[in-house]
Amino acid sequence: MRKTIIVIDPRAGSVHVTTELIGHFSIDSDLQYRADLSQLKYYIPPLDPDNVNFDLNINCTSARDKPTSYIRFENILRWIWDNFHRIERPLSEQEQDEERWLDIDFICSRGIIRKLLCEPYAKMSDEWIICASKYRGTIYLCEFCPDARERGQDNAVVENQISSKINKFQQYIVADHPLHEPDSSVPLNESEEFHCMFKANFAGISLLYDAKIDAISSQQLITDTLIGKPFESIGLKMFQMRIRHMRSTPGIISKCWSTNFLANANRIVVGFRDATNTVKVIKEYSMADLLRLSKPYCDVELCKTYLTVVLKTIKQSVTKDYNKCIYKFHRQPVKETNKEVFLLELTEEAPNNEMYLFLKPWFVAKAEEYRRTQQR
């Protein structure tokens, strides 16, 4: 076990970032992966956003929850399996460096990147576990709960209830066609999702990640691919009426900002609900508007610096391949008030430890088979 104190320099300056949409997929009502746009939704704004009456309790008892044991990372692996050709390095470069197959440093979910971006405004008592497995030069990351027993069934129930209210709100303002009206009478199915795959670069560190997309704005129905098409990603959020003026803390603003920043969404639609779980008002914000609502100031450049420093620390630490060990990074609670310091505990778990095994054998087998066919 090794403990690493990570110190962030808040004066590090701006971090250059690029993001590119390179793919997408759907998850159907039975949690099955589909390489299509079947779950893509279109934002349909209400006629009078200042005077709506969206009852979030309708059909709530018939909503179909997503299993709490569901792990999204396998969907990322499935997309990669379908799209090896999109992200592999040219064969000439692979021959020079056989250990580096993909042109990517890290592969993970948006949730991990968002967590690291929001670290400057996290609570000192917060904990997280991120596991890392290295395969042919690329590091795969997956998040795990610090202690499943502490989360308990009650927490899972509360999270499902919150998720259901947010998804019910979305039902009132999205449709499966840009010319259709939203249908809020349909019982919710929490399993249905649409995801985009993004390739990003943070100060020379390349990442591939998936991001759940709430809705897009488009005048035309898109049936084949989003790549190269004119559309706008829309982030959908919900808050209580008491904060309808959206003056909020950097912690909340950083979460909203990072979620949408990583999905290339510049417009955020927020529904404000009252004590009866009825949305009364809808407001739209640009990303610039959102940051101006933070009191005190939310420093997004500091957020980017945190992310790059932690990723560089992980990259330096992860040297053994997936079949040698799984690296477990545990963010430890600390008592210091200095927000530029936090503690990481690193342990090496057995490569077959079922508790943390996420880089599945079927994926490695498919990748090796693909490489053999390409090298013939």
Side-chain angles (χ1 to χ4, degrees):
M1 180 186 298
R2 304 200 302 269
K3 290 191 176 183
T4 302
I5 297 177
I6 296 183
V7 180
I8 309 295
D9 183 359
R11 301 161 299 174
S14 62
V15 174
H16 181 65
V17 180
T18 61
T19 57
E20 176 189 6
L21 170 67
I22 64 171
H24 40 68
F25 61 87
S26 296
I27 303 299
D28 68 16
S29 58
D30 296 316
L31 287 175
Q32 297 302 303
Y33 173 98
R34 294 186 177 277
D36 57 30
L37 301 176
S38 57
Q39 295 299 328
L40 177 64
K41 304 300 180 185
Y42 296 82
Y43 172 51
I44 312 295
L47 295 177
D48 185 1
D50 291 326
N51 184 27
V52 298
N53 191 45
F54 298 160
D55 186 353
L56 307 180
N57 298 310
I58 292 179
N59 289 334
C60 63
T61 57
S62 57
R64 185 173 164 187
D65 295 336
K66 183 187 300 183
T68 55
S69 60
Y70 176 64
I71 297 178
R72 181 178 295 170
F73 193 80
E74 289 204 23
N75 295 325
I76 300 176
L77 297 181
R78 177 59 193 271
W79 183 89
I80 295 173
W81 170 23
D82 285 345
N83 295 275
F84 285 141
H85 62 286
R86 290 179 179 266
I87 55 177
E88 68 176 335
R89 299 169 71 206
L91 286 176
S92 58
E93 294 183 15
Q94 292 186 47
E95 291 172 356
Q96 298 173 7
D97 182 6
E98 294 183 357
E99 291 305 312
R100 185 68 182 267
W101 172 38
L102 303 179
D103 192 24
I104 295 166
D105 294 316
F106 292 94
I107 294 176
C108 59
S109 69
R110 173 178 58 180
I112 285 179
I113 308 174
R114 188 186 72 171
K115 185 176 292 292
L116 298 181
L117 280 171
C118 296
E119 186 64 37
Y121 303 108
K123 297 177 182 178
M124 302 306 290
S125 59
D126 282 356
E127 287 185 78
W128 47 252
I129 288 176
I130 294 175
C131 287
S133 286
K134 187 176 184 180
Y135 170 61
R136 291 200 172 274
T138 294
I139 298 172
Y140 295 73
L141 302 175
C142 188
E143 184 180 2
F144 293 86
C145 296
D147 191 334
R149 291 172 299 179
E150 289 183 6
R151 286 175 60 86
Q153 188 62 30
D154 290 341
N155 282 349
V157 170
V158 170
E159 289 177 4
N160 280 338
Q161 290 173 345
I162 295 173
S163 175
S164 293
K165 298 303 181 188
I166 294 173
N167 288 326
K168 190 64 188 181
F169 160 62
Q170 294 178 5
Q171 268 195 327
Y172 282 97
I173 54 174
V174 303
D176 57 7
H177 191 290
L179 300 180
H180 291 175
E181 292 295 321
D183 185 1
S184 59
S185 66
V186 179
L188 275 174
N189 189 318
E190 302 287 334
S191 299
E192 297 176 346
E193 295 180 346
F194 180 73
H195 290 250
C196 281
M197 296 295 300
F198 292 93
K199 187 176 181 181
N201 191 293
F202 280 77
I205 302 173
S206 56
L207 303 98
L208 177 71
Y209 60 88
D210 80 314
K212 179 177 176 290
I213 303 299
D214 297 326
I216 68 168
S217 178
S218 171
Q219 298 301 312
Q220 303 294 325
L221 178 67
I222 303 174
T223 58
D224 50 358
T225 179
L226 289 181
I227 300 174
K229 299 294 176 66
F231 72 93
E232 181 186 7
S233 292
I234 305 293
L236 304 179
K237 300 292 182 184
M238 188 171 65
F239 294 104
Q240 295 178 354
M241 280 291 289
R242 60 183 176 83
I243 58 170
R244 61 186 178 276
H245 299 298
M246 275 297 286
R247 299 294 178 187
S248 196
T249 64
I252 293 176
I253 295 297
S254 66
K255 289 178 181 179
C256 293
W257 166 80
S258 58
T259 298
N260 293 280
F261 171 76
L262 293 169
N264 280 347
N266 191 48
R267 187 159 40 132
I268 304 165
V269 178
V270 180
F272 294 93
R273 62 180 175 87
D274 63 15
T276 67
N277 284 321
T278 301
V279 173
K280 295 293 188 179
V281 176
I282 290 178
K283 292 184 179 293
E284 294 189 9
Y285 302 90
S286 69
M287 291 287 277
D289 292 335
L290 185 68
L291 293 177
R292 283 194 289 268
L293 297 172
S294 178
K295 301 295 179 185
Y297 171 65
C298 177
D299 188 344
V300 297
E301 290 303 326
L302 180 60
C303 293
K304 297 173 189 176
T305 299
Y306 263 77
L307 173 68
T308 54
V309 170
V310 176
L311 289 180
K312 286 178 181 178
T313 300
I314 293 176
K315 190 174 182 179
Q316 293 170 356
S317 303
V318 178
T319 57
K320 300 177 184 178
D321 285 342
Y322 74 100
N323 54 355
K324 300 296 182 182
C325 74
I326 299 170
Y327 292 86
K328 184 177 78 170
F329 295 88
H330 186 179
R331 197 271 203 194
Q332 298 282 358
V334 292
K335 296 180 180 180
E336 288 87 345
T337 57
N338 185 353
K339 298 293 287 184
E340 281 77 52
V341 176
F342 67 101
L343 181 65
L344 276 186
E345 180 182 273
L346 171 60
T347 57
E348 295 182 10
E349 305 290 336
N352 59 349
N353 186 336
E354 289 295 331
M355 181 177 293
Y356 299 115
L357 178 63
F358 66 95
L359 190 60
K360 300 299 184 179
W362 65 260
F363 171 78
V364 175
K366 289 290 184 182
E368 291 299 313
E369 179 184 356
Y370 174 83
R371 283 175 52 81
R372 286 193 296 270
T373 60
Q374 294 299 108
Q375 293 172 353
R376 289 175 185 170

